[in-house]
Amino acid sequence: NLADLQKEHKNSPKDIKKVINLAEKYFAENMLDECFELLLQNYKNNNTVIKKKLLEFFETLGIADKHTIKYRKELSSLLFI
């Protein structure tokens, strides 16, 4: 349930498992902007896990998808800061 996952994340915002669970739910519900924003906001907290999940989602969507293009650029900017 999306509301439950959002509540769990709100109660433990730095818990990477809760971040990933919520991102996966957003992705499954086609709430792609919410999914990618959540992951990018948490990149600094656990960059390896977040990067892996982002790349997994990019691969699922395909390289020509507008969300892949937009958020791949944002990920790149975080990698080189």
Side-chain angles (χ1 to χ4, degrees):
N1 174 316
L2 180 58
D4 290 341
L5 290 172
Q6 289 171 321
K7 184 177 178 182
E8 287 177 16
H9 174 257
K10 186 177 180 181
N11 291 335
S12 301
K14 293 191 187 231
D15 184 330
I16 193 63
K17 290 179 184 174
K18 290 181 170 82
V19 170
I20 295 298
N21 288 342
L22 182 55
E24 288 175 341
K25 183 63 172 174
Y26 282 149
F27 192 83
E29 298 288 331
N30 204 32
M31 298 172 70
L32 301 179
D33 289 317
E34 292 84 349
C35 169
F36 290 121
E37 291 294 334
L38 174 67
L39 291 172
L40 290 170
Q41 288 168 5
N42 286 277
Y43 181 78
K44 291 178 185 173
N45 297 334
N46 199 324
N47 59 0
T48 304
V49 173
I50 297 290
K51 181 181 174 186
K52 182 178 176 184
K53 184 53 68 175
L54 284 166
L55 294 176
E56 178 184 314
F57 288 154
F58 294 157
E59 185 175 327
T60 300
L61 294 173
I63 60 170
D65 182 85
K66 68 179 184 178
H67 292 94
T68 299
I69 294 166
K70 176 181 178 180
Y71 291 107
R72 195 166 263 217
K73 285 180 185 176
E74 291 192 30
L75 174 61
S76 293
S77 70
L78 290 175
L79 292 173
F80 297 109
I81 290 179

